[in-house]
């Protein structure tokens, strides 16, 4: 996906619309690297909710697609990697909730939008969620939140 642009004029409005829809539903986009225009579509998507729930959806070059669900717990605790007296420090535990295999890129996006709509913090119609995601599917897209911009570079 070398031709993927971070954000261009032609996809700025659809990205803004999707961002508004996701924000209304209580979800935030952490990362999207998606190109459904090729013969073998690829996608990597990470979205999160402020209560710790997050999703990782992928479609690899071989066409394998899945959505993985996690719940992140943050707490103050002791690191298990050191011995002796150790201070309390912020700890993060990601609990794997499950994986849903999908038939392909478009099936994965249908399942993802259904899950996002069904598990939104504020009610949002499935048709509105699907319209938001459909608006960014026409062109390759690479979008990262400012906090994760350097973590996903290929």
């Amino acid at each position: 996906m070398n031709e993927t642009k971070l954000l261009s004029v032609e996809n700025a409005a659809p990205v803004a619309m999707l961002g508004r829809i996701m924000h209304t539903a209580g979800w935030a986009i952490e990362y999207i690297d998606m190109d459904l225009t090729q013969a073998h579509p690829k996608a990597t998507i990470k979205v999160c909710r402020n209560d710790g729930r997050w999703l990782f959806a992928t479609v690899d070059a071989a066409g394998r697609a899945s959505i993985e669900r996690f719940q992140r717990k943050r707490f103050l605790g002791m690191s298990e990697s050191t011995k002796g007296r150790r201070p309390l420090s912020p700890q993060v535990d990601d609990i794997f909730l499950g994986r849903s295999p999908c038939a392909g890129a478009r099936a994965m996006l249908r399942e993802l939008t259904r899950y996002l709509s069904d598990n939104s913090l504020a009610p949002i119609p499935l048709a509105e969620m699907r319209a938001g995601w459909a608006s960014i599917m026409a062109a390759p897209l690479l979008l990262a939140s400012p906090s994760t911009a350097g973590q996903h570079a290929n």
Side-chain angles (χ1 to χ4, degrees), residues 40-143:
H40 300 290
K42 295 182 212 170
T44 304
I45 300 169
K46 182 178 179 187
V47 295
C48 61
R49 212 168 54 187
N50 65 359
D51 66 351
R53 178 70 46 98
W54 62 279
L55 305 174
F56 188 68
T58 59
V59 180
D60 64 15
R64 295 179 297 248
S66 67
I67 301 172
E68 297 176 341
R69 297 171 305 281
F70 297 88
Q71 181 69 39
R72 176 164 288 175
K73 289 189 346 185
R74 296 178 186 268
F75 57 94
L76 205 55
M78 289 190 228
S79 173
E80 296 177 7
S81 63
T82 59
K83 295 185 180 187
R85 292 183 53 175
R86 50 195 191 261
L88 294 177
S89 61
Q91 304 289 312
V92 175
D93 186 18
D94 286 327
I95 301 164
F96 179 72
L97 301 176
R99 179 181 296 117
S100 300
C102 302
R106 296 194 184 276
M108 182 270 296
L109 282 168
R110 280 192 300 275
E111 180 68 20
L112 178 68
T113 55
R114 187 197 56 76
Y115 187 91
L116 293 172
S117 180
D118 288 350
N119 292 280
S120 61
L121 297 178
I124 190 156
L126 177 59
E128 187 177 344
M129 182 67 74
R130 286 203 170 140
W133 281 90
S135 69
I136 65 165
M137 291 170 49
L141 175 68
L142 174 60
L143 177 69

